[in-house]
Amino acid sequence: DAGVTQSPTHLIKTRGQQVTLRCSPKSGHDTVSWYQQALGQGPQFIFQYYEEEERQRGNFPDRFSGHQFPNYSSELNVNALLLGDSALYLCASSKGPRTGRNQPQHFGDGTRLSIL
Amino acid sequence: DAKTTQPPSMDCAEGRAANLPCNHSTISGNEYVYWYRQIHSQGPQYIIHGLKNNETNEMASLIITEDRKSSTLILPHATLRDTAVYYCIITGNQFYFGTGTSLTVIP
């Protein structure tokens, strides 16, 4: 039973570029959430996708956007990259949108994004 | 969502029980207490969660006080592989991670 998988594992970009990160949820899960984790900090919630729609959003600018596909996989897009966007980007999946109730999220190992 | 307070770091001798505290005084009646841990360069790993009652699984035990304002995660026999950052999370509609407790298991 495959867990949450993310690609790529590492990525280097320069300021102003655009990036797309990908996530495949755990088998049986239909909800995907994205987090940003800066060095030495806890993960910060970006947004959540369920039924191909953004359901909740954290305090991130609209340079951060996403998409969910019919097979429940998801992409995170970041435009006009800034140095401060350097971080570990984590994807988590769960069953149903009411994450945080009696429903654990399962995390992938993330994509390490470095901005030069 | 309710916020949590955890000590920034703790040490524990290998083979002994590790007791990690968490304060969550603003927790609401329908919010769950979750614990995750993160080993360097990996994604957070789910450990355990609960609402009111104490919970136990193969990894750990969770003790929640009667007023639900604090909880303790217990790793009964800590090993070197338990060295990690442990996050206590109170959930409403989102998972809010604080800075967690860095647990070091000492040989």
Side-chain angles (χ1 to χ4, degrees), chain B residues 57-70:
Chain B
N57 62 20
E58 65 279 3
M59 290 183 67
S61 295
L62 173 60
I63 308 298
I64 303 174
T65 58
E66 190 170 347
D67 63 8
R68 303 209 326 123
K69 293 185 177 181
S70 65

Side-chain angles (χ1 to χ4, degrees), chain B residues 42-58:
Chain B
Q42 296 181 18
Q45 177 190 22
Y46 167 75
I47 301 173
I48 199 168
H49 75 284
L51 182 63
K52 296 180 181 178
N53 300 320
N54 299 337
E55 302 287 346
T56 296
N57 62 20
E58 65 279 3

Side-chain angles (χ1 to χ4, degrees), chain A residues 3-4 8 10-11 19 21 26 28 31 39 43-44 61-62 65 69 72 81 83 86 90 97 99 114:
Chain A
V4 178
H10 294 83
L11 200 53
V19 68
L21 311 180
K26 179 179 170 66
T31 302
L39 201 60
Q44 290 193 25
D62 58 11
S65 63
F69 299 93
Y72 309 121
L81 287 166
L83 293 178
S86 293
L90 295 161
T99 300
S114 299

Side-chain angles (χ1 to χ4, degrees), chain A residues 35 37 41-43 45 56-57 88 90 99-109, chain B residues 30-32 34 36 38 41-44 46 49 87 91-95 97-99:
Chain A
Y35 293 80
Q37 185 173 24
Q41 303 295 317
F45 175 75
Q56 297 183 63
R57 189 178 183 93
L88 179 67
L90 295 161
T99 300
R101 303 301 180 182
N102 195 17
Q103 183 62 252
Q105 290 186 81
H106 294 263
F107 285 79
D109 285 336
Chain B
N30 60 354
E31 291 180 320
Y32 282 78
Y34 276 78
Y36 281 75
Q38 189 172 25
S41 297
Q42 296 181 18
Y46 167 75
H49 75 284
Y87 294 100
T91 65
N93 292 318
Q94 298 179 13
F95 273 33
F97 287 80
T99 52

